Amino acid sequence: MNETIYVNSEEEGEETTFEPESLDEFVALVSRIVGYNIRVIKEDGTKADYIATLDTNYIVSETKPKELSSFDYGDLVYLTVDIGKIEKIVDLTGISAKVNSLDFEHIKVGTEEFKILSETKIFVSQENMLETRSVKDIVDAYKDKKEGVDFEAYVVSGKDFIDKAEPRHDVHANKEDEAYIIVFTNIEINLDLNTRIVRFDGFADMQEKEMRIILDDGTKEIRTVNVATNNIPDLRIGDIIEIKETKDYRQDIEEVKVLITENPSENVFEVMEYDSLGNLTLRDKVGTKAEDDETFYVTPDTVTFGNIPRSGDKISYVLKEDSRYVKAILVRSRTAKVTGLFSGPTNPPDTKIRIVRFDGFIDSQEKKMIIILEDGTIEIRAVNVIGNDMPDLRIGDIIEIKETKDDRKDIEEVKVLITEDPSENVFEVRNYDRYGNLTLRDKVGTKAEDDRTFYVTADTVIFGSTLKISYVLEEDSKYVRAILIRRNDDEITGLFNSLTDPSEFDTRIVRFDGFVDPHEREMAIILEGGRIEIRIVNIATNDMPDLRIGDIIEIKETKDYRKDIKEVKVLITEDSSDNVFEVRNYDRYGNLTLRDKVGTKAEDDEIFYITSDTVILGGTLDNAGKVSYILEEGSRYVKAILVRRDIDEVTGLFSR
């Protein structure tokens, strides 16, 4: 039966969890030591906590005591653990030297040069950073380093590791010139940062390096601040701040910006109305009400500190840049004094914007326009627009007009938002809920899911009432500005353009395992380790290659939490008729030699190279095993391998 042990740490209210990992062994960096408890960053990048016992075996230098206090932050250790308890801990920390050269295959530290293999483990151990990194991360950082900047590191060779640690597992990088572990102790490498909006709750130390923060759900956290003192704004307990923090386990704060100050002297407003669609109307200190052109919009992304605002509540707020969408809200006491003052309407004082439906002209000079309002009211307006500034109009077009605010309401400017022509802009409504979330389907059947959900607000102008529509969005957003309801028998002609930046994709190599729905919109894929995932496919039918279960494919997927598949390319087909080779030799350096169907052996000039980036699917590589493969373009580096467990016949043929 598995056992979980809980030990109180030095941080108030925190519990450290020890997960059972019977007879586990690994190398790691020391993150924290409290009494008999040690926290480490393991070679896979995860954080874990363990406890020393009276039976723990310490392998340290003769000058150090055999206890946890011998180890410091950032030290490199080898651990064997049994159900959360340390069986053996070995100090592997070395002496750093200048990195004189570095590429994907070699590193020279001081005067010693080592080979970098697929088994090589890489750590960064600096005052503000404990983490694992890939060879590519480190090589890229070395290439980009500034002139005069030196990187420093120490290397534990495979032979030294075996001699000191006496590991249970086999170590393939076992020679003096083969790097088993590289630890960079001085390196300039970009941090990966998250942005969060939180409430400042003071500092936990006199040096103002440990910041207390409160999340919008009330959770309290303490974060280390890695910001120069002169770059920290003046803070007051209760301020709403935006922080940028590292994505590693430490989540250190690297940047702080005040969004809403706790000081209520000039930024408190009264809530006049807040409806279920997220429309927020406020009143300032002189009684001005934020009417049509000053309604604000609360979305699921809005961070609210306090209860949901109600009529009569006092709040402070901050908007997203150049918009009326609310970024954060601080709910004040209902008895707070209203101190805020609106700066005035956003539109020029002499004109007003309206969205209407064009219904023709009543005169041959086209100076008297007929317009239909959202509620069906018909009006006639004089047009003061020079001829070449008037767009081509068709009866039924949805237009935006600027009209004078006087009694005449003359039209000064016209812009077409939705054309009556249904040839390319008609979509079908899949779902429209009471919160204003609108989901559509285009002509190829693509459904507008999370990343294409549109938002209907109180400002959205809607003409008609059926299930086929055309629409226009607010600039650079998914908020609907106007909707034209089409006839139910209109053909769906619209086609979604990706709302995701084409560069914002991750590329992965996986094994196709079929579709789980009859519309072939949900694909089952198998990852390199055998894990199965289901992904939404947002690809037009004619852009999808013919797939066969078992094919090795390269997919491009969005970087958001959904990871929708946007592109598919077949790398290795499951069809074994002409692409199966026999493994003649595969060594620990990643050198791969194959034999084709006529017995030709891939000799020196046809040895292929397996790297840490090679994706191996279908099992492990064995000598005499059967495989199919694909190379990186213009090289002999293997991009992907499919291990053929159920095939004996060799069908591949080398081109020479």
Side-chain angles (χ1 to χ4, degrees):
M1 180 175 175
N2 288 340
E3 176 186 9
T4 302
I5 305 168
Y6 297 94
V7 178
N8 289 329
S9 75
E10 85 281 15
E11 293 182 11
E12 180 181 353
E14 182 185 349
E15 287 186 328
T16 300
T17 304
F18 296 94
E19 296 295 343
E21 298 186 58
S22 183
L23 301 179
D24 195 8
E25 59 174 333
F26 49 85
V27 293
L29 295 178
V30 175
S31 168
R32 187 176 68 185
I33 292 176
V34 182
Y36 290 102
N37 305 320
I38 185 171
R39 175 170 293 176
V40 297
I41 307 305
K42 298 168 68 173
E43 59 195 59
D44 61 1
T46 60
K47 173 180 65 177
D49 297 280
Y50 300 98
I51 187 168
T53 70
L54 295 175
D55 296 325
T56 297
N57 182 18
Y58 297 91
I59 310 297
V60 295
S61 67
E62 294 180 356
T63 60
K64 292 183 178 181
K66 295 183 180 298
E67 55 189 37
L68 279 186
S69 61
S70 298
F71 298 92
D72 295 319
Y73 170 89
D75 281 355
L76 178 67
V77 295
Y78 165 77
L79 286 167
T80 60
V81 296
D82 186 5
I83 316 181
K85 298 176 183 178
I86 303 171
E87 181 185 77
K88 180 171 73 171
I89 181 168
V90 182
D91 187 1
L92 297 174
T93 309
I95 299 174
S96 297
K98 178 183 174 182
V99 177
N100 289 309
S101 65
L102 174 64
D103 57 34
F104 284 97
E105 296 178 347
H106 299 87
I107 182 171
K108 187 175 183 180
V109 178
T111 59
E112 294 186 275
E113 185 167 342
F114 300 88
K115 296 175 183 176
I116 298 175
L117 308 176
S118 59
E119 196 179 9
T120 303
K121 308 174 193 307
I122 298 177
F123 292 92
V124 173
S125 177
Q126 299 187 130
E127 183 178 352
N128 64 341
M129 184 185 297
L130 290 182
E131 59 186 22
T132 60
R133 287 287 185 145
S134 69
V135 177
K136 185 179 186 303
D137 290 341
I138 300 301
V139 171
D140 287 347
Y142 188 77
K143 289 179 179 177
D144 296 338
K145 73 183 181 72
K146 299 174 184 175
E147 186 176 352
V149 174
D150 290 334
F151 284 11
E152 294 182 357
Y154 62 87
V155 177
V156 179
S157 71
K159 184 178 184 304
D160 285 346
F161 175 72
I162 293 170
D163 291 344
K164 292 180 181 179
E166 297 180 352
R168 296 190 183 100
H169 68 280
D170 291 333
V171 177
H172 299 296
N174 54 16
K175 297 181 180 179
E176 289 186 357
D177 65 344
E178 294 175 344
Y180 186 64
I181 308 165
I182 305 173
V183 180
F184 287 84
T185 55
N186 186 40
I187 185 171
E188 288 188 355
I189 193 165
N190 290 334
L191 292 170
D192 205 4
L193 302 178
N194 272 329
T195 300
R196 287 199 296 172
I197 297 174
V198 299
R199 191 168 189 172
F200 174 65
D201 197 37
F203 290 98
D205 65 325
M206 296 294 292
Q207 293 77 29
E208 297 190 351
K209 287 296 182 183
E210 300 292 326
M211 182 184 291
R212 298 183 187 273
I213 58 175
I214 304 175
L215 310 188
D216 58 339
D217 64 1
T219 302
K220 294 184 178 182
E221 297 179 356
I222 296 178
R223 289 283 171 264
T224 299
V225 181
N226 285 330
V227 184
T229 304
N230 57 351
N231 289 332
I232 296 180
D234 291 332
L235 297 175
R236 177 172 173 169
I237 291 177
D239 285 351
I240 306 303
I241 60 176
E242 183 178 76
I243 60 174
K244 290 188 176 180
E245 56 190 5
T246 58
K247 285 186 177 180
D248 59 16
Y249 79 98
R250 293 170 59 87
Q251 294 182 263
D252 288 351
I253 295 174
E254 301 290 330
E255 190 176 317
V256 178
K257 178 182 178 183
V258 177
L259 298 181
I260 303 172
T261 177
E262 170 65 16
N263 180 8
S265 63
E266 59 182 22
N267 67 345
V268 179
F269 296 81
E270 181 180 0
V271 176
M272 299 295 294
E273 183 180 0
Y274 177 57
D275 63 26
S276 60
L277 298 178
N279 300 306
L280 178 66
T281 310
L282 304 175
R283 181 182 68 83
D284 67 9
K285 68 179 182 180
V286 297
T288 303
K289 181 181 177 184
E291 304 246 348
D292 290 346
D293 58 350
E294 284 174 351
T295 296
F296 307 114
Y297 307 117
V298 178
T299 72
D301 291 336
T302 302
V303 181
T304 302
F305 294 88
N307 295 323
I308 296 174
R310 298 172 299 166
S311 178
D313 280 351
K314 310 302 189 301
I315 70 166
S316 299
Y317 67 97
V318 63
L319 300 178
K320 294 182 179 179
E321 191 172 357
D322 298 328
S323 80
R324 287 184 285 160
Y325 297 95
V326 183
K327 188 173 189 175
I329 291 174
L330 172 60
V331 180
R332 308 277 191 172
S333 165
R334 285 181 70 88
T335 60
K337 182 180 178 181
V338 177
T339 57
L341 186 65
F342 292 125
S343 58
T346 54
N347 298 321
D350 57 340
T351 61
K352 181 179 180 180
I353 292 176
R354 283 201 295 173
I355 297 175
V356 299
R357 191 166 192 172
F358 173 66
D359 200 38
F361 295 98
I362 63 171
D363 64 322
S364 57
Q365 292 79 30
E366 297 188 351
K367 290 296 181 182
K368 297 286 184 180
M369 182 184 290
I370 306 170
I371 59 175
I372 303 175
L373 309 188
E374 183 180 9
D375 63 2
T377 302
I378 298 177
E379 296 180 356
I380 296 176
R381 290 281 172 265
V383 179
N384 291 329
V385 182
I386 299 174
N388 56 0
D389 289 334
M390 176 69 76
D392 291 332
L393 297 175
R394 176 172 172 168
I395 291 176
D397 285 351
I398 305 303
I399 60 176
E400 177 185 88
I401 60 173
K402 285 187 179 179
E403 54 188 9
T404 58
K405 285 190 173 181
D406 56 20
D407 293 338
R408 294 174 55 83
K409 297 185 181 179
D410 289 351
I411 295 174
E412 302 290 330
E413 190 176 320
V414 177
K415 179 182 179 182
V416 177
L417 299 181
I418 304 172
T419 176
E420 169 65 17
D421 178 14
S423 62
E424 59 181 22
N425 67 346
V426 179
F427 298 82
E428 181 182 55
V429 176
R430 296 301 301 268
N431 187 55
Y432 175 57
D433 63 27
R434 65 178 182 274
Y435 301 108
N437 298 310
L438 177 66
T439 309
L440 303 175
R441 183 180 69 84
D442 67 7
K443 68 180 181 181
V444 296
T446 303
K447 182 180 176 185
E449 303 260 343
D450 286 351
D451 59 345
R452 291 199 184 105
T453 295
F454 308 113
Y455 308 118
V456 177
T457 70
D459 283 346
T460 303
V461 183
I462 301 175
F463 294 89
S465 177
T466 58
L467 295 179
K468 304 286 177 58
I469 70 167
S470 299
Y471 66 95
V472 64
L473 301 177
E474 298 281 355
E475 189 172 359
D476 296 328
S477 83
K478 292 185 284 179
Y479 295 92
V480 182
R481 187 170 195 187
I483 290 176
L484 171 60
I485 306 294
R486 301 290 190 172
R487 295 183 300 273
N488 270 331
D489 57 354
D490 274 349
E491 180 185 0
I492 299 174
T493 57
L495 186 64
F496 292 123
N497 293 319
S498 174
L499 297 182
T500 306
D501 185 340
S503 65
E504 292 298 308
F505 293 133
D506 280 322
T507 300
R508 286 199 296 172
I509 298 175
V510 299
R511 192 167 189 176
F512 174 64
D513 199 38
F515 293 99
V516 299
D517 69 318
H519 309 293
E520 298 191 349
R521 289 294 169 189
E522 296 189 6
M523 181 185 292
I525 58 176
I526 303 175
L527 309 189
E528 185 174 7
R531 187 158 62 92
I532 298 176
E533 294 181 356
I534 307 292
R535 289 283 171 265
I536 301 293
V537 180
N538 282 331
I539 304 174
T541 305
N542 54 355
D543 290 333
M544 176 70 76
D546 291 333
L547 296 176
R548 177 172 172 171
I549 291 176
D551 285 351
I552 306 304
I553 59 175
E554 182 178 76
I555 60 174
K556 286 188 178 180
E557 55 190 6
T558 57
K559 285 190 175 181
D560 56 18
Y561 75 98
R562 293 174 53 81
K563 299 185 181 178
D564 286 356
I565 295 174
K566 297 290 183 178
E567 189 175 319
V568 175
K569 178 181 178 183
V570 177
L571 300 181
I572 304 173
T573 176
E574 170 66 15
D575 178 15
S576 61
S577 61
D578 61 3
N579 66 349
V580 178
F581 296 81
E582 182 181 68
V583 177
R584 294 300 302 269
N585 187 56
Y586 173 55
D587 63 26
R588 64 176 180 271
Y589 303 110
N591 299 311
L592 177 67
T593 310
L594 302 176
R595 182 182 66 83
D596 66 9
K597 68 180 181 180
V598 297
T600 303
K601 182 181 176 184
E603 300 281 343
D604 289 347
D605 61 345
E606 284 174 352
I607 291 176
F608 307 115
Y609 305 117
I610 306 290
T611 70
S612 57
D613 291 333
T614 302
V615 179
I616 301 175
L617 295 155
T620 57
L621 281 176
D622 297 317
N623 288 335
K626 307 304 186 296
V627 302
S628 299
Y629 68 96
I630 185 171
L631 301 178
E632 296 283 355
E633 189 172 357
S635 79
R636 286 184 287 156
Y637 292 94
V638 182
K639 185 173 188 175
I641 284 183
L642 172 59
V643 178
R644 304 280 196 171
R645 290 293 185 193
D646 54 348
I647 294 176
D648 293 325
E649 183 183 3
V650 177
T651 59
L653 186 65
F654 292 126
S655 58
R656 298 196 313 114

